[in-house]
Amino acid sequence: MATRPIPRDGSFDATVGLVRDPYRYIARRARELDSDVFETRVILRRTLCMTGVDAARLFYDSARFRRRGGMPAPLRKTLTGEGGVQGLDDSAHVHRKRMFLDLMSRQRLDVLEAIADDEWQAAAARWSSAKVELYAASQAILMRAVCRWAGVPVEDDEIEQRTQDLTAAFDAAGSVDPRRHLGARFARRRAERWLAELIERIRAREIVGPREVAAQAIAHHRDPEGRLLPPRIAAVELHNVLRPTVAVSVYFVWIAHALHEHPQARAALVGAPDAEFEHFVQEVRRYYPFFPAVAAVVRHDFEWRGFAFRRGTRALLDLHGTNHDPRTWDEPEAFRPARFRGREIGAFELIPQGGGEHSSGHRCAGEWLTIALMKRALRHLANGLDYGVPPQDLRIDHARLPALPRSRMVLSEVGRA
Ligand code: HEM
């Protein structure tokens, strides 16, 4: 059967549209073109935009898409770093991915939850009735928690700078302001130097610890040929544990936002079983924006739904749009944790952290850890703390990456309940 051309976006280049509305552009154009895939250009490069569950299933077929060469350079130099697991394919990827997944046993997650609780208590004591900007305050909690958990020593007088450097990698990476973007590049270099030195000290046995602790596991990890990772690559991988854990601060902000904006959903948590807390957290991950899309490259020519996919073309999978696809989600623009009651979540339906398989594909290695930390945060914000929400601009800034409430979520008169 003859193939048909993939529908084309009317504009010559979609970069401006994507920058203006990164979370909604792909789904909107796909709806207008009545197609789950369309072709456009992004920064002049021919790019396929894909949305919805079926497109996600296709995108995660590693026989058809590879990751090498998919991520735009400005994001490699800030967000992910170079030489890490995100850009690997095939057996090299599976081997490196195992290293991350081995850090995520139930027992290790329990340890992190206990440490995070401890840091929440310490933070609550420090806040004592002051006004708190939850975004920055959460970064401080998560940084202290993840460094303790991951075996990364950090002194009191350096923690603020280190936190800022890790934060810049996810908070300023997508900025179109050249100064912020450049700042994120410098911040990554500083953080990688710091972590590479730590790797060397661990290898020299100046710092010892159990092998299931992230810094130790990464320092001693061997590639399939039995070689240790070069210190710079090991630093990129340790950054891949620290940075996204600090980035869970974005979700802490959304949890507080949801508790404030959806009092009925909040009321449903009173005395509720653990499952209700889980549903609330899943709805936060579905409803609120975080990463708009992920990128890959067509491995070889193939046909899907009669469309010809050409080798070497970049593809973007729309994460946020898939989480809001009305074909999968009833009333997707309503915040309704109860939608998860008794619902099996398909591997390509709820994909804020990627879809498919964790071990063989690129789905986020930290998904369980994220959910565990979010559930603890929800407990603290719904039950453990007393606070007010002073008048502020809580509208979501969808043009920012990552999106946040314009006021960053300020809490007042914070104290323990
Ligand atoms: C803040 C919440 C988080 C979000 C929204 C998030 C999102 C994502 C996304 C979208 C991907 C790419 C999936 C793909 O390429 O198909 C990813 C990959 C990854 N994430 Fe996360 N993540 C989060 C937290 C974490 C945490 C806490 C960790 C580790 C402690 C982590 C470690 C990783 C790693 C190592 C990868 C690369 C996986 C691979 O390429 O195989 N993430 N994450």
Side-chain angles (χ1 to χ4, degrees), residues 27 182 187 326 330 356 399 407:
L182 212 61
D330 196 26
S407 59

Side-chain angles (χ1 to χ4, degrees), residues 42-119:
V42 178
I43 321 180
L44 300 177
R45 179 168 164 188
R46 210 148 68 89
T47 301
L48 300 172
C49 295
M50 303 165 64
T51 190
V53 169
D54 293 345
R57 189 174 290 110
L58 177 70
F59 180 91
Y60 280 99
D61 178 350
S62 60
R64 289 174 157 174
F65 291 89
R66 64 171 156 82
R67 294 310 177 97
R68 192 171 46 80
M71 181 77 78
L75 290 179
R76 278 203 318 272
K77 293 191 182 298
T78 51
L79 179 66
T80 60
E82 299 188 288
V85 64
Q86 292 94 338
L88 299 178
D89 290 299
D90 306 320
S91 58
H93 171 254
V94 170
H95 183 82
R96 189 82 65 82
K97 187 68 171 284
R98 183 81 259 149
M99 173 184 83
F100 286 97
L101 297 178
D102 285 347
L103 305 173
M104 306 292 167
S105 66
R106 187 63 255 170
Q107 188 251 336
R108 290 297 297 155
L109 297 189
D110 288 346
V111 171
L112 180 60
E113 284 183 44
I115 295 174
D117 276 350
D118 192 37
E119 293 296 342

Side-chain angles (χ1 to χ4, degrees), residues 295-317:
V297 176
V298 176
R299 257 184 204 248
H300 54 77
D301 292 359
F302 69 86
E303 195 186 312
W304 183 72
R305 291 186 176 171
F307 294 135
F309 283 66
R310 294 277 171 243
R311 178 169 176 236
T313 316
R314 181 162 62 201
L316 294 181
L317 174 68

Side-chain angles (χ1 to χ4, degrees), residues 262-412:
H262 305 283
Q264 279 172 329
R266 178 180 194 143
L269 293 174
V270 177
D274 187 66
E276 295 292 307
F277 284 79
E278 176 116 6
H279 298 158
F280 192 101
V281 160
Q282 295 295 32
E283 183 66 342
V284 168
R285 296 194 324 126
R286 184 196 71 78
Y287 179 83
Y288 286 101
F290 199 143
F291 285 110
V294 280
V297 176
V298 176
R299 257 184 204 248
H300 54 77
D301 292 359
F302 69 86
E303 195 186 312
W304 183 72
R305 291 186 176 171
F307 294 135
F309 283 66
R310 294 277 171 243
R311 178 169 176 236
T313 316
R314 181 162 62 201
L316 294 181
L317 174 68
D318 174 24
L319 301 180
H320 187 69
T322 303
N323 293 337
H324 285 253
D325 190 330
R327 295 170 295 181
T328 309
W329 306 101
D330 196 26
E331 289 188 66
E333 302 313 322
F335 183 86
R336 259 198 358 234
R339 69 172 78 245
F340 287 103
R341 284 188 196 145
R343 179 184 176 132
E344 284 270 332
I345 307 171
F348 302 98
E349 290 179 347
L350 178 65
I351 56 169
Q353 297 178 242
E357 266 274 308
H358 291 91
S359 52
S360 59
H362 282 270
R363 188 177 188 132
C364 176
E367 197 164 11
W368 307 287
L369 188 153
T370 304
I371 293 170
L373 287 171
M374 288 175 74
K375 280 171 75 177
R376 293 316 306 162
L378 178 58
R379 295 261 174 202
H380 291 289
L381 290 164
N383 304 327
L385 291 172
D386 247 347
Y387 56 86
V389 178
Q392 59 190 289
D393 189 352
L394 288 172
R395 283 173 306 159
I396 300 175
D397 182 358
H398 278 105
R400 189 185 193 281
L401 284 173
L404 284 172
R406 286 175 203 272
S407 59
R408 307 286 182 273
M409 201 74 221
V410 177
L411 311 182
S412 62

Side-chain angles (χ1 to χ4, degrees), residues 191-211:
E192 284 185 11
R193 267 202 306 275
W194 167 51
L195 296 173
E197 266 170 39
L198 173 63
I199 295 292
E200 309 253 35
R201 286 171 62 204
I202 292 173
R203 288 181 181 165
R205 314 256 167 233
E206 281 173 44
I207 299 172
V208 290
R211 282 295 283 270

Side-chain angles (χ1 to χ4, degrees), residues 22-39:
Y23 294 100
R24 296 176 293 203
Y25 183 85
I26 296 178
R28 199 181 59 239
R29 293 298 290 136
R31 235 185 341 266
E32 285 162 8
L33 294 163
D34 193 23
S35 174
D36 286 345
V37 54
F38 65 87
E39 188 185 310

